Amino acid sequence: MSAQERLTDALYGAGWGTVRSLPEPVAERLGRTIADVTWKRRGKGVLRLESNYARVEPDAGPERLAELSRAGMRSYLRYWMESFRLPAWSAERVAAGVDVLDLHHLHDGMAAGKGVVVALPHLANWDLAGAWLTTKLGIPFTTVAERLKPETLYDRFVAYREGLGMEVLPHSGGSAFGTLARRLRGGGLVCLVADRDLSTSGVEVDFFGETARMPAGPALLAQQTGARLLPATLWYDDSPVMRGRVHPPVEVPGSGTRPEKTSVMTQALADAFATGIADHPEDWHMLQRLWLKDLDPARDPATAPEQDRKGTS
């Protein structure tokens, strides 16, 4: 393990060990302070966040984009402060911390007995939403996590999420899809963060008027198992409660090849994600390159690629 990896692991460990013990108002102030300091430094992540927000709001000027990125960093640090503290929250605190609209789509899907895939973007706090599912609704689910470096950091994230009631599978290794399909065939729930492709087999979609690539997994799982595919979006408001919405099911097209069906379904997910992101752009924590013009110099020769992975998924 390199010195940088040891430092990264130690910082996350300190976060879970120290922030968890802070009174909630203190943790909130600490998060805002860190967010504002980071925003003022105008580092790579903040600049990438502004660039992504410029796709969401193409008419926004520099002042609006700066306003959005500051709010975005505060939202991002709220996510981290909540996540560090979640293992210490009571079941009552978790249950009261989330309010979801149109939840009947999830209940109807689970009642059908063929399994449900919930796909969501990096909006607000997906870990809190997961804890709420297992705690408030009593619905266990399976998810996938990006394998991080160092390995000890990945182990921390797996232990953290399993402690919240989730079954966590590694993204790499090739066996995740089969396990997810088995869970769905058993009538289970699978939740996947699905606005950023981590493979080389993603589906190209139109996303805020430009081409991006999103994972094919949610659509393929729905086709292969008969599970219901539900987009979901999350957001913060000025209260301590995180809000959410379960969108109507994405149907499997009645005709076409499997790749054609997958393309149509993934585009429908992207459209639902775009609706939620456009309504609450500051809660979209996308600090990485997403659009193909940013990722592929052949798409935009003026843009050089860079490795700027978030480190969490």
Side-chain angles (χ1 to χ4, degrees):
M1 186 188 304
S2 69
Q4 181 61 45
E5 289 175 341
R6 286 195 297 272
L7 176 61
T8 299
D9 183 58
L11 288 173
Y12 279 104
W16 269 300
T18 303
V19 175
R20 170 185 319 194
S21 64
L22 295 175
E24 194 156 334
V26 175
E28 290 174 357
R29 288 196 298 272
L30 175 61
R32 286 195 299 271
T33 299
I34 294 172
D36 288 348
V37 169
T38 303
W39 176 78
K40 288 178 181 177
R41 288 179 176 172
R42 309 286 295 162
K44 183 189 299 181
V46 173
L47 295 177
R48 175 53 48 195
L49 192 63
E50 282 190 12
S51 176
N52 290 339
Y53 287 158
R55 262 56 175 258
V56 177
E57 295 194 8
D59 296 329
E63 185 174 332
R64 170 60 178 162
L65 290 176
E67 174 187 290
L68 271 178
S69 66
R70 183 176 187 181
M73 290 307 298
R74 286 188 169 190
S75 176
Y76 184 46
L77 264 295
R78 175 174 172 175
Y79 159 77
W80 278 113
M81 293 298 111
E82 287 178 345
S83 295
F84 286 143
R85 292 175 52 77
L86 260 178
W89 282 15
S90 66
E92 293 75 18
R93 175 70 178 88
V94 172
V98 181
D99 179 48
V100 178
L101 300 172
D102 298 329
L103 198 57
H104 65 278
H105 291 305
L106 175 61
H107 290 311
D108 291 348
M110 295 301 295
K114 293 185 177 181
V116 173
V117 180
V118 173
L120 63 163
H122 286 82
L123 273 168
N125 192 335
W126 46 97
D127 287 326
L128 174 56
W132 180 80
L133 276 173
T134 60
T135 303
K136 171 74 172 180
L137 302 186
I139 304 176
F141 68 91
T142 304
T143 190
V144 173
E146 179 182 358
R147 189 173 288 280
L148 308 173
K149 292 184 179 181
E151 189 74 16
T152 51
L153 179 58
Y154 171 76
D155 292 341
R156 286 185 190 274
F157 272 97
V158 170
Y160 157 65
R161 286 170 173 153
E162 288 180 341
L164 298 176
M166 313 175 194
E167 179 187 22
V168 183
L169 308 176
H171 179 271
S172 59
S175 63
F177 188 92
T179 302
L180 295 174
R182 286 194 295 274
R183 299 292 182 268
L184 293 168
R185 291 192 182 100
L189 175 64
V190 166
C191 296
L192 301 171
V193 179
D195 57 343
R196 178 169 168 252
D197 181 52
L198 296 175
S199 71
T200 58
S201 58
V203 177
E204 291 191 6
V205 295
D206 180 272
F207 197 52
F208 292 103
E210 292 190 34
T211 304
R213 189 180 291 119
M214 293 186 180
L220 288 172
L221 284 167
Q223 291 176 65
Q224 185 163 314
T225 67
R228 193 164 300 187
L229 176 56
L230 298 175
T233 52
L234 306 168
W235 68 92
Y236 291 128
D237 57 19
D238 293 331
S239 77
V241 178
M242 182 179 70
R243 312 295 175 177
R245 180 184 299 276
V246 181
H247 296 255
V250 172
E251 303 293 342
V252 179
S255 61
T257 64
R258 173 165 288 190
E260 288 170 344
K261 292 178 180 180
T262 301
S263 178
V264 170
M265 295 172 73
T266 306
Q267 182 63 60
L269 286 179
D271 292 342
F273 295 166
T275 297
I277 292 167
D279 288 343
H280 305 279
E282 68 279 4
D283 293 323
W284 189 40
H285 307 150
M286 185 55 65
L287 281 73
Q288 305 77 32
R289 296 175 182 267
L290 181 70
W291 281 271
L292 295 193
K293 282 186 178 179
D294 296 337
L295 288 165
D296 185 354
R299 303 280 181 134
D300 185 358
T303 303
E306 77 181 37
Q307 301 298 320
D308 55 356
R309 301 174 73 82
K310 181 179 186 178
T312 65
S313 68

